[in-house]
Amino acid sequence: MSKRLLPVLLASFFFALLLVLWPASSEAADTDIQNGSFVLFGDAASVSDTGASDGSAAHMGNSGLGWNIQYRNWDFGSLKPGASYEVYARVKVHHAVAAPTGGAFSLAVYDMTNARYVLAERTIAAAATTNDVWADYKIGTFKPDNGVNLLSFYVAQTNNAAQVSDIYVDKFIFREYVPYTIEDNSFLLAGGAALVHEPTAADGSAARMANGPGSGWNIQAPINGARIEAGVPYDVSVVVNTERSNFLRATGDAFGVGVYDATAGAFVSPPKVYTTADDAIKFRYAFVWGITLPASITLNPAHDNRVVFYQVDNAVQYQALRVDKVILTKHTVDDGAAPLISAYPYKISPGNADGLNDTTEINYQLTGTQTVTVTVSNSSHSVVRTLLSGVSQSGSNKLTWDGKNAGGGVVPNDLYTVEVKSGSTVLLSQNVLVQNGVSVTAPAVNTAKDYFPKGVWFEGAAIPKNPTDAAAYAEAAFEKIRDAGMNTVIIANFNPDNPAVFAAVLDEAAACNLKLIIHAYVFRTVYNDALNNDESAMYQAITANLAPLKSHSALFGYLLYDEPPHNNPRLVDTLTDMKRMMETIDPAHPVMVDLSGVHSAEEYYHSTQTQMLTSDPYGALAGRNAGDFTNLGYPNVHYENLLDLLTLQVRRTPANAAPFWTILQAFGQEGWYREPTEPEIRAMTYEAIGRGSKGFYYFMYQTEIDWEGMVDAQGVPTVKYGWISQLLSEIETLKPTILGMRKIANAATASGGGGGSGAYANADVTTHENSATGDKYLVVVNHNVASSAPVTITIDRSKLGIDISGITDVYANAAVTYTASAGSYTISGLSFAPGEGKVLKLTKSAAMQTVSGQDGAFTVFGGAQKNQADVSASDSSSAFQTTGTTADWNMQWYWNKTSFVPGATYDLYAVVKIKYKHDVVYDANQYPSFPLPTGDAFMAAAFDGTTNTYVTAPITVAAGSMENMFWHTVKIGTFVPSQTHTEYVYVAPAANASQVQAVYVDRFYFVKH
């Protein structure tokens, strides 16, 4: 659902979707703190009181100003993580006179660690109390688990015993704040409006009002005055759906809505007609969604207030409105002011050193320039670490504490206090809890590595919210998806309140032999600060989220996040922690994060290390000519180098076996993406194959927003259904080849097949190898998406490194004519349809005689290493050396003289790759570019150790001629190996550490002439 939304609309879209995805609101049970948990001071004492909820209460007189009745706590883990709570004290007073004046008592919440009010003190007037009658008095609303500072909830005297002589406190009450929801069964209906079945509503129904002439307020949601507070502003959201004559093309007025005070006879919120010019209507959904009215409102609880919906005279375009519910949310829920010091996370577990909440970042704000010392003390008030000593600071500052003492040892579990001091004056204080962490483990195997998905992106919010309707919806959709040749469905935003809906959908997937990747309940965890601060609480929440899913046979994995925004290090940390916990809780099902481009790939993959790398590199931008896939948001980012940059995230770590899966563009979006033609979808698909993709999803299945999907709003297949079905049929035929080949440095060039109105001069060509067979492959894509084109392909034999006996079009299973010369193989004028891609197999000649030396047989020196795990190497290991200040012959292979035919001539090759020092460079605007390294990469030669002479002239390979972390076949020379001398070949990384980070060697090999 979140694919490529306009940034200016994203916030409103996200909130509207949350109204749909969040669980239905209900009255939460109170959490009571009885007087037995109070801390009493002065004259306060516990007394029997039959009117109190537990038969006793705390009592104090009213002579003085003491905070004599308090509840103190720093750990609120028993409350719902991240929830806001309204805090009340149940109090009664005894009047000393018949009509007392002045204050009866005061109450507040005070941070005793940081010496500040969390909820400001308020005094209850004596006149607002009833003599000897218990009543609940609200202190305020806040998030009690927003830290681990020691908080005091107190009821205080007002020194007014002459008016109010006695104060009793029964309990403090924590009442979870839930927005006030008015369901459709409470609406007032007129003018033919009626309740109808609405599968996507949580309660299965909605009020329907037909449009047409007139402006009757035919749906009215009455507001219960007892559920709102006087003087408090509320945001009003309506959860609706519109019936359209044409799902994507309806225009004009959709419906009207306002908030009306019937007692005063006036609108509290002016009536507004929503039209297709409004963002809320511009997005077109096949399910109920939330719209927040433009301005917050303040209501008089004693009045008859209603949210009214009225018809518009545009039934030809918008036939009717469906209203599921109305939600009133306090405009500002939490009353507490933001503190000047905070710790994130405020619960850490450095003892297990597992990277989950091992350190905390202390942020603090100074009101002026101060000479500051920052210390960490334990609960016995002993300083265990000084983080900063006597430094002049002002404004915003940050420090990190790693949970260690001054000697470098991990501190024991305890409640620690970070104090920011100026001299002996404590300016700011913040508690940090050191505790045991959860144990996380990596899966024993990568369950995504050998899977070959062919699938589609699916909007989960459109799935009905009851099991019966959900099963019928899923059955109809999954049968079409199966028949299109797919085996996998990514379901985004799938958050039913009823777990039986999960089971119904998974059962239907199993019946159609489909696997599901499900994005469920994620936002409830990702954006919950309390969970982000407490790994144990997060682990418990994730365990509960996965419980309804993980045991089903149709589940393949989990979608953790779709297109995470860049420059958000806290989100990087959260997703990494969540992914590791999910893999621990359910190691059988991999976790996916869909990365949208250069920035997110660079920022997130290195940290999350998901078992597959998934991205949606959409190429057909709005305003571009057909076939032009260049400058994708940035001047230097094109479809092709973006795909290479994405796979580089995996290739950077040679032992990483994660496959690359692409989500391919099959949609347009006004202002952002052009609706791609069939040849463009085909070209993008085959270029993904050429760049190493091992999994293919198309965005998207349903029609919504302004995206035309594989099926229309009624579920009828569109023309794209046929296009994608055909492509998936081709991919299925190519599957064994795609799985067996890996991309290597290019050994071929193309002439012809350019397109994109000059964006590309020639067809795209990439080179691949099957390590098991030694065969090589070319993937060639016609960039001309408007016309057929002949393409001539020239293959450099020295870069190819093998002799071939034939070339085959793999999909057509047909021989391809070519000519051979000493230096090249040439395919002349191969015909390509518009946007067509071909996979060409270059069959290794059976007559080719080779002598090979793998890295395990190398002799290494000077820091070079061999037998290092490398999944892209021919034997899954390679030798490498990090570049330094000298160019030494540190990777050598001494061959066995008896392996060669005496007197025969051989070509000698090295299979080498390099790691660039700088993969991506960002300018001042954070625009990325991919500069080629300068200078030399390495030197190589064959050397006679007996005579100390070169057997071949040394070659020097320029760094800029090498593709980043792709294997290159490099011809070192041609000679007759000696039958008597000791000869060897070497690769020596150049002294060019500013440009080349490392040089890797897979093997050396000879090819007999």
Side-chain angles (χ1 to χ4, degrees):
M1 165 54 69
S2 63
K3 316 304 284 184
R4 303 294 188 183
L5 295 164
L6 299 174
V8 295
L9 303 181
L10 184 56
S12 61
F13 164 80
F14 183 68
F15 181 72
L17 195 57
L18 278 182
L19 291 175
V20 180
L21 302 184
W22 212 257
S25 59
S26 60
E27 292 298 318
D30 291 347
T31 299
D32 295 341
I33 308 299
Q34 299 289 349
N35 67 92
S37 299
F38 295 174
V39 181
L40 305 178
F41 300 91
D43 66 342
S46 180
V47 298
S48 295
D49 189 319
T50 57
S53 58
D54 64 348
S56 65
H59 166 265
M60 65 181 171
N62 201 9
S63 298
L65 297 171
W67 302 1
N68 290 349
I69 299 175
Q70 301 184 33
Y71 165 62
R72 293 182 174 183
N73 197 6
W74 56 265
D75 183 5
F76 297 90
S78 61
L79 301 178
K80 183 177 178 180
S84 294
Y85 282 82
E86 296 177 319
V87 184
Y88 298 83
R90 180 161 294 176
V91 181
K92 75 175 179 180
V93 297
H94 181 71
H95 294 176
V97 297
T101 60
F105 58 91
S106 298
L107 64 177
V109 180
Y110 189 76
D111 183 337
M112 300 186 70
T113 302
N114 198 26
R116 72 177 189 98
Y117 279 100
V118 176
L119 295 178
E121 184 177 273
R122 58 191 298 254
T123 298
I124 304 301
T129 65
T130 302
N131 188 38
D132 293 332
V133 174
W134 290 107
D136 295 343
Y137 297 91
K138 185 175 179 180
I139 304 175
T141 308
F142 83 123
K143 290 184 177 179
D145 55 357
N146 217 16
V148 287
N149 283 5
L150 180 61
L151 303 185
S152 170
F153 302 77
Y154 71 77
V155 175
Q157 302 165 309
T158 57
N159 198 25
N160 192 20
Q163 301 291 315
V164 175
S165 59
D166 298 274
I167 304 167
Y168 299 83
V169 181
D170 176 14
K171 59 185 176 181
F172 288 96
I173 302 166
F174 292 86
R175 183 169 296 152
E176 183 185 347
Y177 174 75
V178 291
Y180 170 33
T181 299
I182 308 168
E183 291 286 358
D184 57 306
N185 57 10
S186 298
F187 293 172
L188 304 176
L189 306 177
L195 295 183
V196 297
H197 182 53
E198 173 50 63
T200 66
D203 62 355
S205 68
R208 182 183 186 276
M209 173 182 70
N211 277 329
S215 57
W217 300 357
N218 292 339
I219 298 177
Q220 301 182 29
I223 298 171
N224 183 348
R227 296 295 307 277
I228 59 175
E229 297 178 37
V232 174
Y234 287 84
D235 294 326
V236 179
S237 302
V238 297
V239 179
V240 300
N241 199 354
T242 54
E243 296 180 15
R244 312 168 189 83
S245 57
N246 185 310
F247 189 85
L248 289 178
R249 308 289 180 259
T251 59
D253 296 346
F255 67 92
V257 63
V259 181
Y260 187 73
D261 184 334
T263 304
F267 277 99
V268 181
S269 174
K272 173 178 173 54
V273 173
Y274 280 92
T275 76
T276 45
D278 292 293
D279 295 342
I281 305 302
K282 186 181 297 182
F283 289 144
R284 304 168 181 87
Y285 305 124
F287 51 87
V288 294
W289 77 95
I291 298 172
T292 300
L293 302 191
S296 59
I297 60 171
T298 302
L299 300 171
N300 185 334
H303 285 195
D304 178 3
N305 298 294
R306 304 177 181 190
V307 179
V308 299
F309 300 85
Y310 53 95
Q311 65 198 69
V312 294
D313 190 11
N314 190 26
V316 68
Q317 298 286 334
Y318 287 93
Q319 298 156 328
L321 173 72
R322 296 188 178 205
V323 184
D324 173 29
K325 56 191 169 187
V326 173
I327 303 171
L328 277 70
T329 307
K330 289 182 181 179
H331 184 69
T332 302
V333 172
D334 300 317
D335 304 328
L340 294 176
I341 185 170
S342 64
Y344 178 82
Y346 51 73
K347 295 182 179 181
I348 62 173
S349 55
N352 56 11
D354 62 356
L356 259 68
N357 292 5
D358 290 342
T359 65
T360 184
E361 182 180 275
I362 312 297
N363 286 272
Y364 55 96
Q365 182 79 27
L366 299 173
T367 56
T369 301
Q370 307 269 5
T371 299
V372 168
T373 294
V374 181
T375 60
V376 182
S377 302
N378 60 22
S379 60
S380 299
H381 309 293
S382 298
V383 174
V384 299
R385 181 85 172 269
T386 299
L387 301 177
L388 199 68
S389 181
V391 176
S392 179
Q393 291 185 324
S394 63
S396 298
N397 303 274
K398 71 172 62 174
L399 291 170
T400 298
W401 180 43
D402 57 6
K404 296 179 180 179
N405 58 29
V410 175
V411 299
N413 291 356
D414 197 0
L415 187 65
Y416 293 83
T417 302
V418 179
E419 291 184 330
V420 180
K421 295 178 283 191
S422 179
S424 60
T425 302
V426 177
L427 304 175
L428 301 165
S429 298
Q430 174 71 30
N431 282 351
V432 175
L433 179 68
V434 175
Q435 62 180 2
N436 292 327
V438 301
S439 296
V440 293
T441 56
V445 296
N446 183 336
T447 52
K449 181 171 69 72
D450 298 320
Y451 189 64
F452 190 79
K454 300 176 298 166
V456 70
W457 192 278
F458 193 95
E459 179 48 64
I463 296 173
K465 302 302 186 288
N466 67 84
T468 302
D469 288 336
Y473 181 90
E475 179 183 22
F478 291 167
E479 287 178 351
K480 292 185 181 71
I481 289 170
R482 176 200 60 201
D483 293 345
M486 297 181 177
N487 60 7
T488 314
V489 183
I490 300 174
I491 304 185
N493 307 317
F494 189 22
N495 302 272
D497 296 324
N498 184 351
V501 173
F502 281 130
V505 172
L506 285 159
D507 286 347
E508 293 301 331
C512 291
N513 293 317
L514 296 175
K515 294 290 186 180
L516 303 185
I517 297 173
I518 294 179
H519 181 241
Y521 303 141
V522 169
F523 292 130
R524 302 182 191 180
T525 307
V526 170
Y527 293 109
N528 188 321
D529 279 344
L531 296 181
N532 293 338
N533 278 280
D534 186 344
E535 63 186 82
S536 295
M538 177 179 278
Y539 192 91
Q540 292 172 13
I542 293 173
T543 298
N545 290 346
L546 302 190
L549 301 169
K550 69 176 188 176
S551 298
H552 203 287
S553 64
L555 180 72
F556 179 81
Y558 306 101
L559 173 62
L560 176 56
Y561 206 102
D562 173 32
E563 296 185 344
H566 87 94
N567 197 25
N568 192 336
R570 184 169 292 189
L571 183 59
V572 174
D573 181 63
T574 296
L575 296 183
T576 301
D577 290 352
M578 290 181 65
K579 175 259 184 184
R580 296 178 67 192
M581 291 182 189
M582 293 168 77
E583 289 181 339
T584 301
I585 296 163
D586 184 7
H589 298 108
V591 179
M592 171 191 290
V593 177
D594 174 31
L595 304 174
S596 61
V598 176
H599 294 89
S600 67
E602 289 276 296
E603 292 172 17
Y604 287 89
Y605 187 76
H606 174 73
S607 181
T608 60
Q609 290 288 298
T610 49
Q611 292 187 41
M612 77 294 285
L613 187 146
T614 310
S615 185
D616 48 12
Y618 303 146
L621 270 60
R624 303 288 175 79
N625 293 311
D628 182 354
F629 306 148
T630 64
N631 300 318
L632 303 184
Y634 303 100
N636 300 300
V637 179
H638 316 311
Y639 188 68
E640 296 76 22
N641 63 14
L642 174 56
L643 288 167
D644 283 342
L645 184 279
L646 290 165
T647 63
L648 178 62
Q649 309 309 310
V650 175
R651 290 182 282 111
R652 278 187 178 128
T653 305
N656 189 349
F660 175 46
W661 295 350
T662 46
I663 299 170
L664 294 153
Q665 180 185 356
F667 75 101
Q669 182 172 346
E670 183 180 353
W672 278 85
Y673 295 100
R674 187 170 38 75
E675 192 72 52
T677 63
E678 188 276 341
E680 287 183 295
I681 297 174
R682 174 174 293 279
M684 287 187 282
T685 299
Y686 272 86
E687 285 203 65
I689 294 172
R691 257 61 192 191
S693 182
K694 308 296 185 186
F696 307 88
Y697 300 91
Y698 290 87
F699 188 85
M700 67 173 292
Y701 181 73
Q702 299 103 321
T703 290
E704 62 178 41
I705 312 294
D706 53 358
W707 309 327
E708 182 183 67
M710 289 180 65
V711 297
D712 65 17
Q714 288 72 45
V716 177
T718 65
V719 65
K720 292 178 185 175
Y721 182 93
W723 297 349
I724 293 170
S725 298
Q726 174 59 36
L727 279 169
L728 290 173
S729 174
E730 296 173 23
I731 289 172
E732 180 63 23
T733 299
L734 295 170
K735 174 181 173 180
T737 298
I738 294 172
L739 285 174
M741 69 186 194
R742 59 177 172 82
K743 185 177 183 295
I744 59 176
N746 208 7
T749 57
S751 176
S757 297
Y760 300 100
N762 298 294
D764 188 66
V765 58
T766 53
T767 306
H768 305 254
E769 181 178 32
N770 185 310
S771 296
T773 65
D775 297 328
K776 298 198 176 181
Y777 295 85
L778 303 180
V779 179
V780 187
V781 184
N782 180 16
H783 275 304
N784 190 332
V785 297
S787 304
S788 298
V791 178
T792 294
I793 303 155
T794 303
I795 305 165
D796 186 324
R797 296 184 68 167
S798 66
K799 293 180 179 179
L800 190 66
I802 62 170
D803 297 332
I804 65 173
S805 59
I807 300 177
T808 307
D809 181 328
V810 177
Y811 176 70
N813 194 26
V816 175
T817 302
Y818 67 98
T819 58
S821 67
S824 64
Y825 298 109
T826 303
I827 304 169
S828 299
L830 187 62
S831 179
F832 283 76
E836 183 182 6
K838 295 180 186 290
V839 179
L840 306 178
K841 178 181 179 181
L842 313 180
T843 302
K844 178 183 175 181
S845 172
M848 193 173 92
Q849 298 181 35
T850 62
V851 177
S852 181
Q854 298 288 349
D855 69 286
F858 294 178
T859 302
V860 295
F861 308 93
Q865 300 179 55
K866 63 180 182 177
N867 292 321
Q868 300 299 300
D870 189 330
V871 297
S872 69
S874 58
D875 64 346
S876 299
S877 72
S878 64
F880 84 98
Q881 183 172 27
T882 301
T883 53
T885 57
T886 59
D888 298 316
W889 302 4
N890 288 339
M891 291 180 281
Q892 303 176 10
W893 174 47
Y894 289 78
W895 55 79
N896 184 342
K897 297 185 285 288
T898 63
S899 300
F900 299 90
V901 176
T905 300
Y906 289 81
D907 293 329
L908 173 61
Y909 296 91
V911 180
V912 186
K913 67 182 176 183
I914 68 170
K915 169 73 176 67
Y916 291 2
K917 179 69 174 180
H918 307 288
D919 301 324
V920 184
V921 174
Y922 297 94
D923 66 15
N925 296 315
Q926 289 298 296
Y927 286 10
S929 60
F930 315 106
L932 292 174
T934 58
D936 297 335
F938 62 89
M939 287 70 73
F943 195 77
D944 187 327
T946 302
T947 62
N948 283 330
T949 58
Y950 283 102
V951 178
T952 64
I955 63 169
T956 299
V957 177
S961 70
M962 301 282 288
E963 297 178 45
N964 197 4
M965 291 299 282
F966 284 118
W967 290 112
H968 291 66
T969 299
V970 179
K971 187 174 181 180
I972 295 174
T974 302
F975 63 99
V976 177
S978 172
Q979 294 291 301
T980 58
H981 291 190
T982 298
E983 296 174 328
Y984 63 91
V985 61
Y986 70 83
V987 166
N992 191 16
S994 66
Q995 298 292 314
V996 177
Q997 181 173 309
V999 176
Y1000 299 78
V1001 182
D1002 176 17
R1003 68 189 190 278
F1004 298 100
Y1005 68 96
F1006 288 90
V1007 177
K1008 180 178 174 294
H1009 276 207

